[in-house]
């Protein structure tokens, strides 16, 4: 991201606990005066179901919302970098 020193680590698994390869994780970061600037980031998970975002801002106007999608299943997790600068998320994706 290049906007700060924070990071977010993800491990994405299916309902059986198996890692999900190439799950897409997106986040939109608004920054600057009145939040007029924005950066959209996307990462795909590796064969172990892991992905990492680095360079996240130390502070954000609103908590960051990470949208995770694999096939037809999606989930959203939030993080406030001011509270947890080095966030770790274990996400289970299951069809309901």
């Amino acid at each position: 991201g290049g906007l700060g020193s924070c990071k977010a680590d993800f491990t994405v698994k299916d309902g059986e606990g198996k890692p999900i390869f190439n799950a897409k994780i997106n986040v939109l970061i608004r920054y600057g005066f009145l939040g007029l600037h924005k950066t959209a980031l996307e990462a795909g998970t590796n064969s172990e179901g892991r992905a990492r975002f680095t360079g996240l801002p130390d502070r954000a106007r609103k908590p960051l919302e990470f949208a995770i999608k694999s096939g037809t299943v999606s989930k959203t997790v939030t993080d406030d970098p001011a509270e947890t600068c080095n966030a770790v998320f274990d996400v289970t994706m299951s069809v309901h």
Side-chain angles (χ1 to χ4, degrees):
L3 301 172
S5 61
C6 293
K7 67 180 179 178
D9 289 317
F10 292 85
T11 302
V12 182
K13 297 181 179 183
D14 64 14
E16 297 175 359
K18 296 178 184 173
I20 297 177
F21 174 71
N22 206 26
K24 300 295 183 193
I25 306 170
N26 295 289
V27 63
L28 179 65
I29 303 169
R30 295 183 181 275
Y31 62 97
F33 181 69
L34 297 176
L36 295 176
H37 299 282
K38 56 187 170 184
T39 298
L41 302 175
E42 179 179 87
T45 56
N46 64 13
S47 62
E48 297 175 342
R50 296 185 180 174
R52 173 181 281 176
F53 289 93
T54 59
L56 298 177
D58 302 328
R59 294 183 188 160
R61 293 183 153 282
K62 296 180 181 178
L64 301 177
E65 290 190 0
F66 295 90
I68 305 156
K69 185 170 182 174
S70 176
T72 59
V73 182
S74 62
K75 193 170 204 175
T76 302
V77 296
T78 60
D79 174 45
D80 185 353
E83 298 286 325
T84 52
C85 187
N86 296 311
V88 176
F89 298 100
D90 289 315
V91 181
T92 301
M93 306 287 284
S94 57
V95 178
H96 298 285

